[in-house]
Amino acid sequence: MSDKDTIARDFSEWQKARDSHAKLKKWAKIVSIVTGLGWLLLIYKMAQTSEMVLRYSTEAQESIGRWTITLVLMTIVSVGLLLLSGKAKSRMKGLSRRLMSDIRTQLENADEGLRAKFESQLRELGG
């Protein structure tokens, strides 16, 4: 397999990693915001409920318990998505560094058609 084919394959892999990171980051933000708002709503709900109801009403205690369990699970999912997003970002950056090095090496000996393609890929990679 030639270096040009390897670069094309690696560039395609980098684009997939970039897209994957963007999706994970978007979902992590959405879930984090919803979870944060849920915690605020739970705190507000508890502040508006009288102490007597919280102490003696099993229905209110069960409701608070369900809210808490749901929000704890959402918090765990949110943290997991943030960690996966960070891992995807570091993978993408590693691919980017390696690919920029390979492209710069090939750029020196490339003909005019490939030179334009390689320069375009370098711009997309941020180098």
Side-chain angles (χ1 to χ4, degrees):
M1 187 180 289
S2 72
D3 287 336
K4 295 170 201 133
D5 295 335
T6 304
I7 289 175
R9 187 192 71 230
D10 289 348
F11 190 75
S12 174
E13 186 179 337
W14 174 81
Q15 287 175 322
K16 289 176 186 173
R18 180 192 60 191
D19 295 343
S20 172
H21 167 64
K23 286 178 186 176
L24 279 171
K25 186 177 176 181
K26 181 178 87 172
W27 279 107
K29 282 182 181 180
I30 290 169
V31 172
S32 296
I33 290 170
V34 169
T35 302
L37 291 174
W39 280 111
L40 290 174
L41 186 60
L42 175 64
I43 292 168
Y44 177 76
K45 181 179 178 178
M46 288 179 65
Q48 296 301 314
T49 306
S50 72
E51 186 178 334
M52 294 296 284
V53 171
L54 288 174
R55 184 175 292 166
Y56 297 112
S57 171
T58 56
E59 186 179 324
Q61 292 169 355
E62 288 173 1
S63 175
I64 298 295
R66 280 190 302 271
W67 271 81
T68 304
I69 289 170
T70 301
L71 288 172
V72 166
L73 290 175
M74 286 180 69
T75 301
I76 291 169
V77 168
S78 177
V79 168
L81 285 172
L82 288 170
L83 291 174
L84 285 173
S85 175
K87 188 175 180 179
K89 183 177 183 178
S90 65
R91 180 174 174 264
M92 181 186 70
K93 285 190 175 201
L95 285 169
S96 175
R97 279 192 298 272
R98 188 184 72 206
L99 194 54
M100 280 197 289
S101 168
D102 292 347
I103 290 174
R104 285 187 179 126
T105 303
Q106 291 296 314
L107 187 62
E108 296 170 1
N109 302 327
D111 63 357
E112 200 58 39
L114 283 176
R115 187 175 203 77
K117 180 181 175 183
F118 286 156
E119 288 172 351
S120 173
Q121 288 176 340
L122 278 174
R123 278 192 296 279
E124 193 170 343
L125 289 166

